[in-house]
Amino acid sequence: MREVAVIGIGITKFGELWNKNLRELFVEAALKAIKDAGVDHIDSMYVGCMTSGLFAQQEHLGALMADYLGQNPIPAVRVESACASGGYAFRLGFFEVASGASDIVLVGGVEKMHTGADATAALAAAADAEYESFIGATFPGLYAMMAVAYKEKYNIPDDVFRRQLAMVAVKNHENGSKNPNAQFRSKITVDTVINSTLVADPLRLFDCSPVTDGAAAVILCPVELAKKYTDTIIKISASGAATSTIQLAQRKDMVWLDVVENAAKAAYKMANVEPKDIDFAEVHDCFTIAEVCVIEALGFFNPGEGIKAAEEGKTALDGEIPVNTSGGLKSKGHPVGATGVAQIVELVEQLRGTAGERQVKNARRGLAQNMGGSGASCTVHILEVV
Ligand code: COA
């Protein structure tokens, strides 16, 4: 396999963007990435998107986006794996370049969620329709069950658990306040979280990622060719992916994300590194409890210890392993199909040293973890400066 680099990044503002439609968002991010890379053509394209049919009555995004980007007749296809659609699109683009099939590949992700469609119902299509959604389970509800199970498993008093969970949102809003593209740039306190509206007990409004419009894109090429475009070579040193039971009820352990563990193991093996070798990470904090479970399954913290990490400052910008430097899904926003690609954009910003106020010192190797459903699909990518 050839070594592959990321040579261009582009991202739109994330938020409630009523004046931009699905194709405009994608094209904006893609043009920024093409300009940033300095390439004069692309050979092939992948479009990560979860559910444009339900949100915007639009499928067939490969052809649509290639057309509106002025790139016909290149091959282009949409990739879907619920909220991990962007991560899986990136994985396919990586392997297409690594295999030698194409030299310059654009990987984008997009979701237009503010359309008037029922977002909760559209998102619930990523759960098991017959055994979960049919009986009324929603994603806030499923993750709330994980939160209760975590608190019970590790026997944590209610008030301590509530405060420690809130600190994940406080930390991510702090980082998001430093990100000009974030949906919510307000700093918050533990009280803001605890006093916000109850969504699904024990999760409150500020434990949840929001409904977001946005897009992100990156340009990939072989490392050898990358030298023509940039002096800072950022290599994709690993791509790991996995699946697990789509139904939360079928897991052996509701709070141990085996899908993350398996994707991470594959990525660590491919990059020949261990969790301690990672300098910073973007992880899938669709709900505060998700970040806690993910950082344990990635091997950054022991089981039962992830809940304390934010409160102890270990995952802060200047902590031992900064997590969600972009603000994460919680503060930056979660346009579901775009999220996995947006995480790669943040990794590249950090590795280039262009993350401004949220720059992590000595960022040389970053990890991006993107997840679908309540932990049914997952990708883990490791990028490093060479
Ligand atoms: N965090 C912080 N503030 C939020 C927010 C969030 N997640 N979601 C909405 N808000 C704010 C809005 O900006 C608005 O503020 P304003 O009154 O000052 O303008 C207010 O809360 C109400 O917004 P609204 O859009 O009416 O909220 P809602 O009640 O319809 O939706 C949630 C709130 C939590 C239900 C919704 O954001 C949600 O479903 N999130 C989860 C998304 C999800 O499941 N993603 C997939 C994960 S697997």
Side-chain angles (χ1 to χ4, degrees):
M1 288 207 311
R2 302 192 292 184
E3 290 193 317
V4 181
V6 183
I7 56 166
I9 54 173
I11 192 162
T12 66
K13 171 97 182 77
F14 279 13
E16 190 171 339
L17 310 173
W18 288 101
N19 60 343
K20 289 190 178 160
N21 65 21
L22 184 72
R23 66 189 74 183
E24 287 169 334
L25 286 167
F26 184 87
V27 167
E28 180 183 329
L31 287 177
K32 282 181 180 168
I34 289 170
K35 187 172 177 206
D36 183 54
V39 294
D40 59 8
H41 74 284
I42 53 177
D43 298 324
S44 165
M45 187 166 87
Y46 291 88
V47 182
C49 183
M50 173 178 156
T51 186
S52 54
L54 292 177
F55 277 120
Q57 294 73 52
Q58 178 71 63
E59 309 285 15
H60 209 172
L61 296 196
L64 179 86
M65 299 310 181
D67 182 7
Y68 275 79
L69 195 57
Q71 293 292 335
N72 291 147
I74 64 162
V77 70
R78 174 217 186 142
V79 179
E80 187 275 316
S81 186
C83 301
S85 299
Y88 265 96
F90 185 73
R91 178 175 163 84
L92 296 187
F94 164 63
F95 283 121
E96 178 157 340
V97 176
S99 72
S102 293
D103 276 342
I104 300 181
V105 171
L106 187 149
V107 180
V110 64
E111 208 77 52
K112 174 69 194 167
M113 299 174 76
H114 290 99
T115 58
D118 178 344
T120 304
L123 291 168
D128 186 317
E130 293 186 13
Y131 291 92
E132 292 182 319
S133 327
F134 178 74
I135 50 149
T138 61
F139 279 109
L142 291 167
Y143 278 91
M145 285 192 261
M146 289 167 75
V148 173
Y150 188 99
K151 183 171 71 69
E152 298 292 325
K153 180 175 179 181
Y154 297 110
N155 202 15
I156 308 169
D158 282 352
D159 57 335
V160 175
F161 180 69
R162 190 47 281 187
R163 189 186 70 235
Q164 291 177 329
L165 203 55
M167 278 305 295
V168 175
V170 172
K171 184 258 300 173
N172 289 346
H173 271 255
E174 174 69 34
N175 294 348
S177 73
K178 301 175 168 67
N179 183 349
N181 291 317
Q183 180 164 0
F184 296 124
R185 299 193 65 196
S186 52
K187 294 186 189 182
I188 58 168
T189 63
V190 167
D191 281 345
T192 318
V193 184
I194 293 178
N195 295 324
S196 63
T197 309
L198 192 60
V199 174
D201 198 16
L203 301 181
R204 294 180 173 271
L205 183 67
F206 278 82
D207 287 298
C208 306
S209 60
V211 170
T212 310
D213 305 325
V218 297
I219 305 282
L220 312 182
C221 78
V223 164
E224 276 311 308
L225 186 60
K227 292 170 187 162
K228 181 178 148 194
Y229 296 102
T230 174
D231 294 332
T232 311
I233 306 288
I234 295 168
K235 184 179 91 166
I236 305 164
S237 45
S239 174
T243 54
S244 182
T245 65
I246 192 158
Q247 269 183 62
L248 185 58
Q250 295 295 330
R251 308 257 166 85
K252 286 194 195 92
D253 181 341
M254 269 171 66
V255 302
W256 184 255
L257 290 166
D258 58 322
V259 76
V260 179
E261 181 187 16
N262 287 324
K265 266 188 190 160
Y268 292 142
K269 187 175 173 205
M270 188 172 183
N272 196 20
V273 297
E274 296 177 31
K276 68 173 174 45
D277 300 319
I278 304 295
D279 296 330
F280 66 100
E282 285 289 293
V283 311
H284 200 94
D285 60 320
C286 49
F287 299 92
T288 45
I289 186 65
E291 176 168 317
V292 171
C293 296
V294 166
I295 59 179
E296 293 179 3
L298 286 171
F300 296 154
F301 295 93
N302 291 328
E305 301 287 320
I307 187 74
K308 302 177 199 159
E311 187 174 56
E312 291 175 348
K314 291 181 175 166
T315 48
L317 278 185
D318 59 355
E320 56 192 55
I321 171 81
V323 171
N324 283 328
T325 58
S326 67
L329 284 52
K330 172 67 209 75
S331 166
K332 183 181 58 180
H334 184 24
V336 284
T339 283
V341 183
Q343 292 177 327
I344 301 294
V345 169
E346 177 67 10
L347 256 52
V348 172
E349 290 263 40
Q350 291 286 350
L351 294 170
R352 283 179 177 175
T354 55
E357 273 188 278
R358 58 183 202 286
Q359 181 65 48
V360 171
K361 284 202 187 101
N362 304 320
R364 304 286 301 171
R365 183 182 289 122
L367 177 149
Q369 177 272 335
N370 187 202
M371 189 159 69
S374 59
S377 61
C378 180
T379 59
V380 172
H381 288 100
I382 299 174
L383 271 60
E384 58 191 297
V385 184
V386 292

